[in-house]
């Protein structure tokens, strides 16, 4: 029994010894893990935690009054500006404005923001710090609408360097006014400007300037517009005077746009030219075809009116004449004159027939044949009609033996009268045209196209 008790005590001691060793091993392992973790944290130290609560102290924001400009009371602070144009979103002729998206950057030095740095690296902040320091109060002159993009956060960046130099950048979309001249529309070029200026500080307190001259303006190579070709971007600057507040530095972003003409050639000029040419078809239609010639003229006139109305509907109601107005209205006049030309032909034809009728009545008594038959013998009908005396009584008719002579004499008189009338018209070209209405159409076939071609040559030489 004592031996059995001693054996149990020995086993118990061995178990305790094993458990104690396991416990020590676990403690040692956990200690190593803690050391490894602390070593990793030291290698990947979060600088924001190291500067927690010290950013404002590092930049000395609380020690200064940032409602005042830098170097208040001294010379004007220079503020450099550069711009990168991201896109030209739209150009509106009706509203006379344009919409542009750009990156606007300001550069200045504020010694109050200088800080100590061993590696001379800058610090970058978002828009929250902008509200606590002084920034230039630049605004867009003649702007209608503008906003800073705020998706997903405010698109504002502030970068501060150890010596106090500051870079302030923002992404802005602005819609500004552009005074356009449409006197050469649609063969025109437009020059628009986006103007930047300090709202409160005159040139004695703040001097705005382009940081790198013309190199301060950068544009995206992919910028394109449907109606315009962007010819040139350039920068200028000048002083602007306000009678109540004084002189201000103003910066200009100028860009020149050339309108694409091909769209208007297809939609305006070609249809108008075709309508004018279509109106000339009536000169080759018989003057007796009144419905054909009248309907053709009225159709072309109404079509020209529709083209003019459609062009003016998409344009501002300016008080001066545009180049497209000159072309369309001259084309309208050509179409309208072709209608008047047929009116003149129809009227002169009626006058000519009336004169010929009176002339026949004058010679009817010398032939011994009634008036109705005399008209048939006036050279405008066939010989069978002239020799036909059916329907007349014996006493109305010429005697049988005298019939051939009388008819021959009558026809001779008719031919003599016609020849004498022709001789009387020699040397009178204008009167000959009136008597022969075919000549009006004949000359119109040459005068109308020739005049229109000359007009087109002059028009395109002047406006293109």
């Amino acid at each position: 029994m004592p031996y059995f008790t001693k054996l149990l005590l020995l086993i118990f001691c061995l178990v305790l010894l094993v458990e104690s060793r396991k416990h020590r091993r676990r403690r040692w392992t956990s200690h190593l893990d803690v050391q490894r973790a602390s070593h990793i944290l030291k290698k990947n130290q979060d600088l924001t935690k190291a500067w927690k609560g010290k950013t404002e102290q590092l930049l000395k924001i609380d020690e200064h009054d940032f409602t005042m400009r830098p170097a208040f009371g001294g010379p004007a602070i220079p503020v450099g500006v550069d711009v990168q144009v991201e896109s030209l979103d739209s150009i509106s002729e009706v509203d006379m404005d344009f919409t542009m998206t750009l990156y606007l950057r300001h550069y200045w030095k504020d010694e109050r923001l200088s800080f100590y740095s061993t590696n001379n690296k800058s610090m970058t902040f978002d828009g929250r710090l902008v509200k606590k320091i002084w920034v230039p109060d630049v605004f867009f002159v003649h702007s209608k609408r503008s906003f800073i993009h705020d998706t997903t956060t405010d698109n504002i960046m502030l970068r501060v360097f150890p010596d106090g130099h500051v870079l302030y950048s923002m992404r802005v979309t602005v819609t500004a006014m552009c005074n356009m001249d449409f006197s050469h529309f649609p063969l025109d070029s437009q020059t628009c400007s986006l103007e930047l200026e300090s709202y409160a500080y005159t040139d004695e307190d703040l001097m705005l300037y382009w940081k790198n001259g013309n190199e301060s303006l950068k544009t995206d190579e992919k910028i394109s517009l449907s109606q315009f070709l962007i010819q040139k971007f350039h920068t200028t600057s000048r002083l602007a005077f306000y009678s109540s507040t004084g002189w201000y530095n103003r910066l200009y972003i100028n860009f020149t746009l050339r309108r694409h003409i091909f769209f208007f050639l297809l939609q305006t000029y070609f249809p108008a030219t075709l309508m004018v040419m279509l109106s000339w078809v009536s000169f080759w239609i018989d003057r007796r075809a009144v419905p054909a010639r009248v309907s053709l003229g009225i159709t072309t006139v109404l079509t020209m009116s529709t083209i003019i109305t459609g062009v003016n509907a998409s344009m501002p109601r300016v008080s001066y004449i545009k180049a497209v107005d000159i072309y369309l209205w001259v084309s309208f006049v050509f179409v309208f004159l072709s209608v008047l030309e047929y009116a003149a032909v129809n009227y002169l034809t009626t006058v000519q027939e009336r004169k010929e009728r009176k002339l026949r009545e004058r010679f009817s008594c010398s032939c011994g044949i009634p008036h109705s038959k005399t008209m048939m013998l006036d050279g405008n009908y066939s010989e069978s009609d002239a020799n036909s005396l059916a329907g007349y009584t014996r006493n109305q008719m010429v005697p049988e033996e005298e019939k051939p002579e009388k008819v021959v004499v009558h026809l001779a008189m008719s031919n003599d009268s016609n020849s004498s009338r022709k001789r009387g018209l020699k040397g009178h070209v204008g009167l000959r045209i009136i008597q022969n209405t075919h000549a009006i159409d004949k000359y119109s076939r040459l005068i109308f196209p020739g005049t229109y071609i000359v007009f087109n040559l002059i028009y395109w030489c002047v406006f293109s």
Side-chain angles (χ1 to χ4, degrees):
M1 186 65 183
Y3 294 102
F4 182 72
T5 304
K6 292 179 180 181
L7 182 60
L8 290 176
L9 289 173
L10 181 61
I11 294 173
F12 181 73
C13 292
L14 291 174
V15 171
L16 289 176
L17 182 61
V18 172
E19 291 295 331
S20 63
R21 287 183 178 180
K22 290 182 178 180
H23 181 67
R24 289 176 183 177
R25 188 175 297 171
R26 284 196 297 267
R27 289 180 61 187
W28 177 253
T29 304
S30 63
H31 179 69
L32 289 177
D33 292 339
V34 170
Q35 287 183 345
R36 290 174 183 171
S38 62
H39 179 68
I40 293 173
L41 288 174
K42 287 180 180 179
K43 289 183 65 177
N44 301 323
Q45 187 177 7
D46 191 352
L47 297 179
T48 59
K49 291 183 178 180
W51 289 348
K52 184 178 181 181
K54 296 181 180 180
T55 301
E56 297 181 0
Q57 182 179 353
L58 180 65
L59 296 178
K60 302 176 183 179
I61 293 178
D62 294 334
E63 298 179 8
H64 303 280
D65 183 7
F66 282 94
T67 59
M68 302 292 183
R69 69 172 179 86
F72 180 77
I77 174 176
V79 176
V81 176
D82 69 32
V83 171
Q84 181 174 346
V85 179
E86 182 181 4
S87 64
L88 266 175
D89 302 322
S90 64
I91 306 290
S92 175
E93 291 89 356
V94 177
D95 299 326
M96 287 195 180
D97 59 23
F98 65 93
T99 301
M100 177 187 294
T101 300
L102 52 90
Y103 294 96
L104 178 62
R105 305 184 184 97
H106 307 79
Y107 303 85
W108 75 93
K109 184 177 182 180
D110 192 345
E111 295 182 354
R112 297 172 296 183
L113 296 176
S114 60
F115 61 93
Y116 176 75
S117 176
T118 57
N119 51 13
N120 199 31
K121 288 185 177 180
S122 62
M123 292 188 296
T124 303
F125 306 94
D126 57 16
R128 287 171 289 185
L129 187 62
V130 174
K131 301 177 181 179
K132 299 179 181 180
I133 65 173
W134 181 90
V135 294
D137 59 340
V138 175
F139 79 106
F140 298 102
V141 186
H142 305 308
S143 67
K144 297 181 178 180
R145 295 173 300 275
S146 61
F147 62 92
I148 299 175
H149 291 259
D150 55 1
T151 305
T152 58
T153 60
D154 292 339
N155 296 172
I156 296 176
M157 184 268 288
L158 187 71
R159 182 171 294 168
V160 183
F161 295 86
D163 58 354
H165 280 89
V166 182
L167 166 60
Y168 175 43
S169 176
M170 64 185 76
R171 183 167 174 253
V172 185
T173 294
V174 56
T175 300
M177 182 177 64
C178 178
N179 293 322
M180 300 182 184
D181 182 13
F182 296 108
S183 58
H184 284 68
F185 176 87
L187 306 170
D188 58 334
S189 295
Q190 303 295 340
T191 300
C192 299
S193 299
L194 183 63
E195 305 172 14
L196 295 85
E197 183 182 303
S198 173
Y199 191 83
Y201 297 99
T202 64
D203 61 337
E204 297 178 355
D205 293 318
L206 189 147
M207 183 182 67
L208 278 179
Y209 68 97
W210 290 111
K211 189 174 185 297
N212 298 313
N214 282 331
E215 298 298 325
S216 301
L217 181 61
K218 303 293 184 181
T219 58
D220 194 333
E221 296 179 355
K222 298 180 180 180
I223 294 178
S224 62
L225 295 170
S226 58
Q227 288 194 36
F228 292 93
L229 172 65
I230 302 175
Q231 290 185 321
K232 181 174 61 174
F233 272 95
H234 65 282
T235 61
T236 56
S237 62
R238 65 188 68 174
L239 289 174
F241 177 73
Y242 297 91
S243 59
S244 302
T245 53
W247 293 90
Y248 294 81
N249 294 110
R250 182 177 295 182
L251 306 180
Y252 295 82
I253 302 173
N254 304 310
F255 55 94
T256 303
L257 304 173
R258 177 77 178 179
R259 195 182 303 273
H260 293 300
I261 187 59
F262 190 70
F263 170 81
F264 296 94
L265 288 177
L266 293 179
Q267 300 296 324
T268 303
Y269 287 97
F270 285 166
T273 304
L274 291 177
M275 286 301 104
V276 174
M277 297 174 64
L278 183 62
S279 67
W280 300 338
V281 175
S282 64
F283 303 151
W284 278 266
I285 300 177
D286 187 2
R287 69 180 187 275
R288 297 180 183 85
V290 177
R293 296 190 65 164
V294 170
S295 61
L296 180 61
I298 297 300
T299 301
T300 52
V301 168
L302 293 178
T303 305
M304 284 300 305
S305 300
T306 303
I307 295 174
I308 294 173
T309 303
V311 171
N312 291 328
S314 60
M315 293 296 298
R317 293 175 175 83
V318 294
S319 58
Y320 50 84
I321 298 177
K322 303 181 290 293
V324 67
D325 293 336
I326 295 176
Y327 193 90
L328 292 180
W329 280 104
V330 170
S331 300
F332 182 85
V333 169
F334 271 88
V335 172
F336 187 72
L337 287 178
S338 66
V339 178
L340 294 183
E341 186 269 350
Y342 177 65
V345 168
N346 194 26
Y347 173 76
L348 294 176
T349 300
T350 304
V351 172
Q352 180 185 5
E353 291 177 352
R354 187 181 299 116
K355 289 182 178 180
E356 290 179 353
R357 188 179 302 112
K358 291 181 180 180
L359 195 61
R360 294 187 189 101
E361 292 175 354
R362 183 180 305 172
F363 292 99
S364 61
C365 59
S366 62
C367 300
I369 301 177
H371 170 66
S372 59
K373 207 62 178 179
T374 303
M375 292 178 61
M376 294 180 62
L377 298 178
D378 197 16
N380 292 328
Y381 296 87
S382 63
E383 185 178 357
S384 60
D385 292 334
N387 294 328
S388 175
L389 297 178
Y392 287 87
T393 58
R394 185 71 181 174
N395 54 3
Q396 290 175 329
M397 296 175 59
V398 181
E400 190 71 23
E401 61 274 5
E402 297 178 359
K403 174 180 174 182
E405 295 179 0
K406 293 293 183 180
V407 172
V408 171
V409 171
H410 174 75
L411 293 176
M413 289 177 61
S414 176
N415 290 333
D416 291 342
S417 63
N418 289 335
S419 60
S420 63
R421 181 170 45 184
K422 291 180 181 179
R423 285 194 301 269
L425 293 178
K426 285 184 179 181
H428 302 281
V429 178
L431 186 59
R432 184 182 303 146
I433 294 175
I434 293 176
Q435 293 294 337
N436 186 2
T437 55
H438 288 286
I440 296 179
D441 286 337
K442 179 180 178 181
Y443 286 115
S444 296
R445 297 168 190 172
L446 300 176
I447 294 175
F448 275 73
T451 307
Y452 195 68
I453 291 173
V454 172
F455 161 72
N456 274 272
L457 292 176
I458 297 174
Y459 178 88
W460 293 107
C461 289
V462 171
F463 291 102
S464 62

